[in-house]
Amino acid sequence: VDQVIAPEREVALAIERVLAVPGVFAADSFFGGEAMMLGAICREEAVILGQPLRQLSDLFAELAMTILLVNRSGQRLAVNELESLEVSDSIYFVVPTEKIDRALALLGHGESGAKRRVLIVGGGNIGTQLAQSLEANQPQMRNKLIEFDRERAERVATQLSRTVVLHGDALDGDILKEANVAGVESVVAVTNDDEVNILVCLLARQAGAQRTIAIVNSPTYVGLVEKIGIDAAVDPRAITVSSILQHVRQGRVRAARSLGDGIGELMEMEALDTSSIVGESLREIKMPKGARVAGTLRDGVFTRASGDTQILAGDHVLVFSFTETLRQVEKLFAVQVDYFS
């Protein structure tokens, strides 16, 4: 067996990445943690509003921020199709890890990471693994977990050391009140019932929770949750697919993540000696429409890509592509046929 992928573990890790960054609905790490792909909503306070997108790299050059994809009123748009960002736009972007706070501030997000509280609803495998990961990796978070089944709640309590486990129905207002949902920064509903997850998040938001995240398995519900006020929908199938993609893509793919409900992919690829992308500047390379190189990692240093960026053999390149042009992007990084002749 070459690779083992545990879907429930992958889902728990994906949720943990989102919880680790206040104010985002999507988060993924690339280049060994040197850069992050984040999804966030443009608020009214965003400094970036109204600024020409073509000039953002010049106006905010110190951020090294690259916008990949914009969701406007349910329509997924490439950056070159837009002149500027508007209030409520959902954007996916790449930024160096140490500059995340500054980038989010441009979008109007100033959430504090201090004394954060998380409420997990559902004590199954995903909920338990998520709580364990938060205890191990996010010591600043204070966690509570609600489980409907008493026996399972008792068992989960023995597996956790810093998480308060409550037994009860999360759809019961009294249980939510006991969990102090009004003082919670994030509510994460991870039961095996989509409808319960959605209703819990709506009740939690109504009670005062700042951010709600729901696991949603049904494709019908995934597009619905954003419209009814839930901040993030976690699709277990999409996360599992992302974990598999890097093993089936052509070329030397180090990581791959599906974005925008499968409309495109962000891939960390290694440029090989015989890759056609090597030796030319990005301005000279014929990239497919909508595809963007977000940055490169060379000698352990992340650099935002520009038209003058030249790809060298051994570089790790972070590139976004819409699904329909993935094959074209893969060919740019693949070993050329004449290499074997």
Side-chain angles (χ1 to χ4, degrees):
V1 176
D2 297 305
Q3 298 291 334
V4 176
I5 296 174
E8 292 170 334
R9 180 60 177 164
E10 295 295 329
V11 172
L13 291 174
I15 296 173
E16 182 187 349
R17 288 193 293 267
V18 174
L19 291 174
V21 185
V24 305
F25 59 79
D28 264 303
S29 177
F30 291 89
F31 294 149
E34 291 294 321
M36 290 284 290
M37 185 286 299
L38 301 174
I41 296 175
C42 265
R43 292 180 171 175
E44 293 182 2
E45 313 92 285
V47 179
I48 208 170
L49 292 176
Q51 302 286 354
L53 286 181
R54 294 180 180 179
Q55 299 179 18
L56 286 183
S57 58
D58 296 326
L59 292 172
F60 306 102
E62 74 284 357
L63 282 181
M65 174 182 175
T66 302
I67 298 176
L68 306 174
L69 179 66
V70 178
N71 180 355
R72 178 174 295 171
S73 301
Q75 185 177 8
R76 313 283 180 174
L77 302 170
V79 175
N80 56 12
E81 297 176 317
L82 298 170
E83 293 183 0
S84 62
L85 295 175
E86 299 179 0
V87 176
S88 298
D89 279 353
S90 297
I91 72 170
Y92 294 87
F93 62 96
V94 172
V95 66
T97 302
E98 71 271 12
K99 297 180 179 178
I100 287 175
D101 291 342
R102 294 172 62 190
L104 289 173
L106 284 181
L107 300 174
H109 293 270
E111 292 90 344
S112 171
K115 297 182 179 180
R116 299 176 59 196
R117 295 174 172 83
V118 174
L119 174 61
I120 301 170
V121 177
N125 291 336
I126 293 176
T128 303
Q129 292 186 46
L130 174 59
Q132 290 172 333
S133 292
L134 292 178
E135 287 186 350
N137 305 322
Q138 307 293 334
Q140 78 280 14
M141 291 185 179
R142 297 173 60 182
N143 312 314
K144 293 182 180 179
L145 184 149
I146 298 176
E147 167 55 39
F148 180 77
D149 182 85
R150 176 179 289 277
E151 183 178 344
R152 180 181 290 273
E154 292 174 350
R155 184 168 63 251
V156 170
T158 64
Q159 300 174 12
L160 302 172
S161 58
R162 295 189 297 105
T163 301
V164 177
V165 179
L166 304 174
H167 165 246
D169 185 353
L171 295 177
D172 184 340
D174 291 336
I175 290 295
L176 290 178
K177 186 176 180 180
E178 182 180 350
N180 190 27
V181 69
V184 166
E185 188 266 337
S186 296
V187 172
V188 188
V190 294
T191 75
N192 58 5
D193 189 311
D194 286 358
E195 287 84 359
V196 170
N197 293 338
I198 292 171
L199 288 173
V200 164
C201 286
L202 293 177
L203 289 172
R205 174 52 65 87
Q206 187 179 38
Q210 297 177 33
R211 178 168 58 164
T212 55
I213 302 170
I215 280 188
V216 180
N217 292 280
S218 170
T220 304
Y221 291 150
V222 170
L224 173 66
V225 294
E226 295 179 2
K227 300 177 183 178
I228 61 178
I230 296 175
D231 296 294
V234 177
D235 183 350
R237 292 179 305 169
I239 291 171
T240 305
V241 167
S242 290
S243 301
I244 297 172
L245 285 175
Q246 67 193 77
H247 305 297
V248 298
R249 291 294 176 213
Q250 294 181 16
R252 207 69 79 78
V253 180
R254 300 297 181 181
R257 295 290 182 268
S258 177
L259 301 186
D261 302 335
I263 196 171
E265 289 180 23
L266 183 61
M267 297 178 288
E268 179 185 334
M269 309 186 77
E270 182 181 348
L272 306 174
D273 289 330
T274 61
S275 299
S276 60
I277 198 172
V278 169
E280 298 187 45
S281 68
L282 293 180
R283 187 175 285 108
E284 298 170 327
I285 297 169
K286 294 182 179 179
M287 295 289 289
K289 182 179 179 181
R292 298 201 74 185
V293 173
T296 62
L297 185 74
R298 182 180 301 164
D299 298 326
V301 178
F302 170 71
T303 305
R304 181 188 182 277
S306 67
D308 296 324
T309 298
Q310 188 178 52
I311 306 300
L312 303 181
D315 284 353
H316 285 209
V317 184
L318 195 56
V319 57
F320 168 77
S321 173
F322 286 106
T323 303
E324 60 269 21
T325 58
L326 278 171
R327 291 297 182 188
Q328 295 171 256
V329 171
E330 287 177 326
K331 289 179 180 179
L332 292 174
F333 289 86
V335 175
Q336 300 301 300
V337 175
D338 57 9
Y339 177 74
F340 300 100
S341 60

